[in-house]
Amino acid sequence: MDKFTWTREDLIKIIHSTDNGIFLSDPEHDRFIDINSTVLSKLGYTKDEFMTILPSEFLGPFSAEKKEEIHYTKYGYELPAEVRSHPITLSDGHTYMLTVASDITKSKDIEYKFKRTNEEFQSLFLYHPDIIFTIDMNGIYKTINPAAEEVFGYTTEEITGTPYLDYLTPEAGKNTIPYFYKVMRGETVRFETIIVSRDNRHHIMDVTAVPLVLDDKITGVIGIARDRTDKRETEKRLHESEQRYRALFDYNIDAVMTFDTNGKFTHVNSRTEEITGAASEDLVGRSFLPFVVPEQREETMRQFTISLDGAPHQYETTIHSMMGERLDIHITLIPIYVDEEITGIHCIGKDITEWKRVQTRMNHLAYHDTLTGLPNQRHFTESIAEVLQEAEEHDEEFSIFFLDVDRFKFINDYLGHHMGDTLLQMMATRLEITLGHRGTLFRYGGDEFIILAHPSDEEKTKEIAEDLIKETAKTYDLKGFESVSTVSVGISMYPAHGTSTETLIRRADNAMYHAKNSGKNNYQFYSPKVQKPSASLKTESFLYKALKKEEFHLVYQPQVAGNEEEVIGIEALLRWNNEELGTVSPGEFIPIAEETGLIVPIGEWVLEEACRQNKAWQDQGFPPLTVSVNLSMRQFYHTNLVSTIAEILYKTGLSARWLELEITESMAIHADEAVAILKDLKDIGVKIAIDDFGTGYSSLSYLKKFSIDQLKIDQSFVRDINSDSDDNDIITTIISLGHNLGLEVIAEGVETKEQLEFLKKHGCHKYQGYYFGKPAEAEIISPMIRKQEIYE
């Protein structure tokens, strides 16, 4: 072939036919020398237009790294180009810049779409709430998204590069292997497995896995795993809920039933059958109303209608069973909602027949003295409040008689408490008969009685007083011992001697002491000239100095567990020895301390000393036990009680659980305040006991509200075990009440084996009394505490 020779026209033709833009520019003068037609077609200029513009007018940002540059068209659009420039020296000897530009618009679009797709995938991968992962052919995690960290408890860096089997339970790992091989064969699988997280929790995972294909070759697994633990837990809880519902319904100790909106039985449990005496098939479809006693049917229908209005509530009613038995039932009605519509009523019926009997008994005890059967001090307090209001409204007079049995201490000391109780019973009967309908007789406490005569003027009051003095002066046959026991009577009149309960009682009490000083066996009206004698003034004077002079000390009496073999607590008891008065009975100085307010600092000393001694025993290695301390009413309602006790516990280092505070039922008179105080005391951790329980100053309703741990049966009931059936009934009732309320019961005053056997037989938890040990000094009682044995 002949050698080909390029002509200038050939070269120009080639230059203008290429797809790349070609620029020839003079860098020195910043102008274009020539361009090819590709540049003009891409940028939209004519050659004449283009040759008049400077290179800088159509050139945009330049990336030296990528050799990329933005060119602007005639209409201002961006045209990305890849450029290659190099100098060239032509025949005129001048050096020019030859630039070749390739249009990379399409590649940029592809790059942008790829970048966007990649970012979207990364976003899906990084922020998806489910776990996204890839595994290679060897079962090794290659990638895993951050969602895995919450389930696994490991970071993604810790998981990556480790076998997936390392995070499964052995059984789950074994079960996943067949699925793994299915995916390796090109199948898509879905299965459940269990991942064990770092904190050893098991997570139920719903896994979908597909083959990972690159260049038509399976290189691993890509999958999504969703934590289904909560769903499974929900399903489990639902199942358990259904089981609990069936257990609540079928095995409930109370009657559980459902009614339709017409009050007909739809479902009943076995307890319902027992209470009604009817089989379930006989009850379903039948109205509940015929079972309700006639006098309560109207109210029962009203209560049922309230439930149909959507209000759950409770009430009490009485039914007749098929056997004719009358039962008191506590009813709870709960509307049944289905799709926000009431379709029926759930009903729970608790048989409270026995509870009502106990409550009736306890309410009687709350307002009546157990020894004499007379209305008690609480009853008097409420009665006189009503009488005061009525007397004020109708401008009436009434009188209060304060009676004290003369020489009663002599009977108790020389004939025994049993004879003293017998005398009080006989005295109460005689007073009640003598009084008749002219007034109401109350036992105020100990050997004191109060009579409330309303209405009554001075003449009628004298007549009553003379009859009382005459009749009570007759002899009493105390089981073969003929006793003459008289009464001293003090009288105050409303409104002449006072217009408040406190004033009238205090002035009747003053008049009674005047009667005693006048030779006993007489009555006296209150007179401002005669005040209550203060034989206790001397005692009171020494009492003010007793704390400072360190004349008080504590003795301790053991409290024994039901097995009689273990000392589980001690009661701290206050004693006072004065240099001039000698040993002063607590019965003498405690009332004075209470009246003067000295009981507050004295009580704080007792608390601190008892806590200090108990902590000392513990520090010496003695078995820990509870120390019980009595609180007086004035202490109990003192504003700083709770903080004072907390400070004493902190100061002595004794844990609150080893301190028990004993209060009396009389503190329930201010029930709401007492409930709040008891709650605050319980909050700091101390135990609470009701002392002298059963003496008739509280009621069951208050008892249920109190935060207490223990009931202490008053020793007056224990004393007459096996000789007084009424006392026996009271004791068994109190023990039963304690069991029902989940409270421990301790009996005070246990002195004989017969008393102990009776208490053990009826389930009393603890005992205290001379049978186990008398109150003793700390050094005497210490060996017994260490051995946890009782002493003779």
Side-chain angles (χ1 to χ4, degrees), residues 94-149:
H94 192 73
T95 300
Y96 299 92
M97 186 63 68
L98 179 65
T99 301
V100 178
S102 301
D103 184 356
I104 58 173
T105 303
K106 289 184 179 180
S107 64
K108 279 294 182 180
D109 286 344
I110 292 171
E111 181 182 342
Y112 171 74
K113 290 177 181 178
F114 176 78
K115 180 181 179 183
R116 181 175 177 180
T117 302
N118 186 58
E119 288 177 350
E120 289 175 348
F121 174 78
Q122 285 297 319
S123 178
L124 178 68
F125 181 79
L126 292 173
Y127 302 113
H128 200 288
D130 296 332
I131 298 172
I132 301 176
F133 62 90
T134 60
I135 296 174
D136 67 13
M137 302 290 286
N138 297 315
I140 304 297
Y141 280 113
K142 303 304 293 181
T143 60
I144 193 162
N145 69 338
E149 295 183 350

Side-chain angles (χ1 to χ4, degrees), residues 611-629:
C611 291
R612 184 201 61 75
Q613 180 61 63
N614 199 13
K615 185 63 168 65
W617 278 324
Q618 292 182 11
D619 291 343
Q620 294 166 26
F622 287 32
L625 43 72
T626 301
V627 60
S628 300
V629 178

Side-chain angles (χ1 to χ4, degrees), residues 11-32:
L11 290 173
I12 291 173
K13 190 175 184 178
I14 290 172
I15 289 171
H16 286 283
S17 298
T18 181
D19 288 337
N20 294 329
I22 298 176
F23 303 84
L24 185 64
S25 60
D26 182 356
E28 184 177 351
H29 297 95
D30 192 24
R31 64 187 180 88
F32 288 110

Side-chain angles (χ1 to χ4, degrees), residues 598-667:
L598 288 172
I599 194 67
V600 175
I602 293 173
E604 289 181 15
W605 180 87
V606 172
L607 277 165
E608 184 171 338
E609 178 63 17
C611 291
R612 184 201 61 75
Q613 180 61 63
N614 199 13
K615 185 63 168 65
W617 278 324
Q618 292 182 11
D619 291 343
Q620 294 166 26
F622 287 32
L625 43 72
T626 301
V627 60
S628 300
V629 178
N630 288 278
L631 287 183
S632 73
M633 183 175 290
R634 183 170 286 219
Q635 275 181 285
F636 184 73
Y637 287 108
H638 194 267
T639 54
N640 297 326
L641 174 66
V642 179
S643 60
T644 297
I645 292 174
E647 184 179 346
I648 288 172
L649 290 170
Y650 177 79
K651 182 178 179 181
T652 60
L654 181 69
S655 172
R657 66 192 181 115
W658 301 118
L659 173 63
E660 180 177 72
L661 302 174
E662 296 187 8
I663 66 172
T664 61
E665 290 182 272
S666 59
M667 296 180 189

Side-chain angles (χ1 to χ4, degrees), residues 505-519:
I505 292 176
R506 185 173 65 253
R507 291 181 173 177
D509 187 28
N510 286 344
M512 182 272 294
Y513 274 95
H514 180 40
K516 281 191 175 293
N517 287 342
S518 299

